[in-house]
Amino acid sequence: MIVDIINKKRLGKELSFKELNFFFNGYLDGKIKDYQMSSLLMAICIMGMTDEEIYALTKIFVDSGDILDLSFLPGNKVDKHSTGGVGDKTTLAVAPIVAALDIPIIKMSGRGLGFTGGTIDKLESIPGYNTSLTDQQIIHQAKDIGIVLTGQTATLVPMDKEIYALRDVTGTVSSVPLIAVSTMSKKIASGANKIVMDIKVGGGALLHTRKDAHKLSELMKKIGKFYNREVETVISDMNVPLGHNIGNSLEVLEAIDLLKGKIKTGNFYSLCIELASEIISMAKGVSKWDGADMAREAILDGSAYKKFEELVKAQGGDLSKIEISKKTKQIKAKKSGILEKIDAYKLAEISVGLGAGRVSKEDKINPKVGIVLNKEVGSMIKKGSVLCTVYYENVKDFDPSLVLDAFSIG
Ligand code: URA
């Protein structure tokens, strides 16, 4: 039976709900082994899945845990999710912006694994910040201040925890149907009725082509419709890092700068406004243009930053204690010209080496390290000018010439 199911998918045939349920729940129960599940995942990766299979697998994932009931909050409940990128701290800015506009946002985020960062690791760089709220604490805080940013509870789609960890080490992360099932099952179980999905595409993302990003967008909307949730998608570039800072404390500080109105241009700012405008438009029934104006206003009048402070205080964090490493190394241009490319993937790998990310699940993050970009793509560069600054703990953790390689000057 187990091998028959693997072979059926290998030949590109459709698996029934019964077969998928048997296989995936069998894996969760320990009856199906890692090597058998890996084999099925690879067959899915290569042969794809039909819409019916995707709906079935999403249901199996959602039903593996609890669904958070947010009906105690009046009106629309919103959520956002990113498929993962480099320097992606948008949740830290977007969530307080929309909450400042009285749109409740209860977001359960993950940790970073591999080259993509995780919101929970960024939040934990704020000393004292509690990312392990219980369901009761989540409900209490949501009623109290309308914003919660916490880690996924143990009962939120436990199937995804197991399968994602296996996908991560078996080269099956980039499968469009599997990303759709993994991300949408978590959003459905988190209880929001309006969901914005940020699909990253480029060298520093799981998906490398716009065609795949559009395919994923279509699937996410179909799954949303199936579950009666409104889903909007934004396809955003991830060839260049988002914003200037990569690394946990550094990214929190950059999000704070945006919320304080100190950042008003660049890819990080424009993506935050775009995502916030989508959420505001869905939640309040206004146009995206009006949503964007409302988001900018929430920054300018200080209410978004005030909401962020409220959030951090409610979850026990102390913003005055955020630390960045005192050891820094400036990386300077070896020639003059135009900065044509900054390779997000290479910088992500370097920042993992510095300790800002994990290679395996057990690795401990160093919140103080990372990279700050001093120049943007398109800038005129003079030989000797600083391209970026590396914040490190141990000089052996990085090779300056590899950092320089991430910058293409033409
Ligand atoms: N993020 C997720 O949560 N799941 C995926 O499969 C990919 C990105």
Side-chain angles (χ1 to χ4, degrees):
M1 178 78 168
I2 293 172
V3 174
D4 292 343
I5 291 174
I6 297 171
N7 275 330
K8 199 170 166 187
K9 183 55 21 195
R10 183 177 59 79
L11 295 170
K13 296 198 180 130
E14 185 176 69
L15 298 179
S16 65
F17 177 86
K18 207 170 145 205
E19 287 165 327
L20 288 165
N21 197 38
F22 164 80
F23 211 99
F24 279 80
N25 275 309
Y27 180 66
L28 211 54
D29 295 342
K31 290 182 197 121
I32 286 175
K33 305 295 171 209
D34 276 356
Y35 52 84
Q36 292 163 324
M37 180 51 92
S38 307
S39 184
L40 181 66
L41 290 171
M42 187 53 84
I44 289 174
C45 223
I46 294 166
M47 301 311 292
M49 289 182 115
T50 64
D51 287 357
E52 290 310 313
E53 286 178 307
I54 290 170
Y55 300 148
L57 193 57
T58 306
K59 180 166 166 42
I60 292 163
F61 271 48
V62 171
D63 291 350
S64 71
D66 297 336
I67 296 185
L68 194 62
D69 180 5
L70 299 179
S71 58
F72 63 91
L73 288 168
N76 290 318
K77 275 73 67 174
V78 302
D79 202 350
K80 79 162 269 287
H81 193 84
S82 151
T83 56
V86 182
D88 185 3
K89 70 288 283 179
T90 48
T91 293
L92 303 180
V94 171
I97 291 171
V98 300
L101 293 161
D102 295 325
I103 302 168
I105 182 158
I106 292 93
K107 178 157 168 45
M108 290 189 234
S109 297
R111 294 185 183 281
L113 193 59
F115 68 90
T116 61
T119 301
I120 289 309
D121 296 322
K122 300 178 212 270
L123 286 166
E124 285 181 352
S125 70
I126 306 171
Y129 191 102
N130 180 6
T131 58
S132 311
L133 299 187
T134 61
D135 283 2
Q136 275 319 306
Q137 286 171 317
I138 292 172
I139 290 168
H140 180 264
Q141 188 173 313
K143 278 185 185 161
D144 204 25
I145 60 170
I147 180 168
V148 179
L149 294 185
T150 186
Q152 286 155 23
T153 56
T155 57
L156 188 97
V157 197
M159 180 78 76
D160 185 62
K161 276 191 200 97
E162 299 301 320
I163 298 293
Y164 195 86
L166 190 62
R167 284 169 59 206
D168 197 56
V169 291
T170 54
T172 53
V173 169
S174 303
S175 151
V176 171
L178 292 177
I179 297 175
V181 169
S182 162
T183 53
M184 286 305 297
S185 61
K186 284 180 287 196
K187 294 298 101 178
I188 287 155
S190 302
N193 61 326
K194 308 271 180 188
I195 301 162
V196 173
M197 304 298 283
D198 178 11
I199 301 172
K200 304 281 188 206
V201 60
L206 298 181
L207 299 182
H208 293 173
T209 66
R210 291 193 79 80
K211 191 167 162 234
D212 275 349
H214 282 291
K215 218 159 53 181
L216 181 59
S217 161
E218 210 178 290
L219 279 177
M220 286 168 161
K221 287 182 184 175
K222 281 188 191 166
I223 297 171
K225 203 158 168 208
F226 191 78
Y227 278 89
N228 207 16
R229 314 289 168 102
E230 191 183 345
V231 176
E232 284 295 339
T233 57
V234 169
I235 296 177
S236 61
D237 178 81
M238 191 31 78
N239 286 301
V240 174
L242 199 61
H244 287 181
N245 296 10
I246 305 166
N248 298 284
S249 294
L250 288 165
E251 291 190 41
V252 173
L253 294 175
E254 192 174 19
I256 290 174
D257 278 350
L258 186 140
L259 289 168
K260 283 185 168 173
K262 292 182 189 168
I263 297 173
K264 296 195 180 88
T265 56
N267 61 359
F268 172 45
Y269 179 78
S270 47
L271 183 60
C272 284
I273 298 297
E274 188 177 359
L275 293 171
S277 75
E278 290 283 357
I279 295 174
I280 297 162
S281 160
M282 278 203 279
K284 291 201 184 270
V286 298
S287 72
K288 284 173 196 165
W289 300 109
D290 286 346
D293 283 344
M294 290 162 84
R296 283 189 280 264
E297 189 51 35
I299 297 172
L300 292 176
D301 70 12
S303 58
Y305 183 63
K306 204 162 145 241
K307 192 50 88 175
F308 181 72
E309 283 185 315
E310 264 179 64
L311 164 77
V312 172
K313 189 163 169 235
Q315 291 189 221
D318 185 346
L319 290 172
S320 69
K321 296 214 167 104
I322 296 178
E323 276 190 276
I324 52 175
S325 179
K326 291 190 177 57
K327 295 184 201 163
T328 60
K329 164 111 186 129
Q330 294 184 329
I331 305 296
K332 295 184 178 164
K334 288 255 163 38
K335 63 173 183 176
S336 300
I338 303 284
L339 183 52
E340 287 177 344
K341 189 177 161 198
I342 303 175
D343 191 318
Y345 184 73
K346 279 187 184 160
L347 290 182
E349 282 196 315
I350 291 159
S351 68
V352 170
L354 291 168
R358 293 184 185 79
V359 178
S360 73
K361 269 194 295 186
E362 298 71 33
D363 289 351
K364 232 174 119 38
I365 293 271
N366 181 344
K368 296 191 268 182
V369 298
I371 299 167
V372 173
L373 302 177
N374 296 97
K375 293 282 187 290
E376 288 177 3
V377 168
S379 311
M380 294 263 288
I381 305 293
K382 248 176 99 174
K383 185 177 170 185
S385 57
V386 180
L387 296 171
C388 74
T389 308
V390 178
Y391 289 72
Y392 65 94
E393 197 80 358
N394 188 331
V395 78
K396 289 199 212 101
D397 292 341
F398 71 106
D399 174 349
S401 67
L402 289 182
V403 186
L404 189 63
D405 276 352
F407 296 83
S408 308
I409 297 172

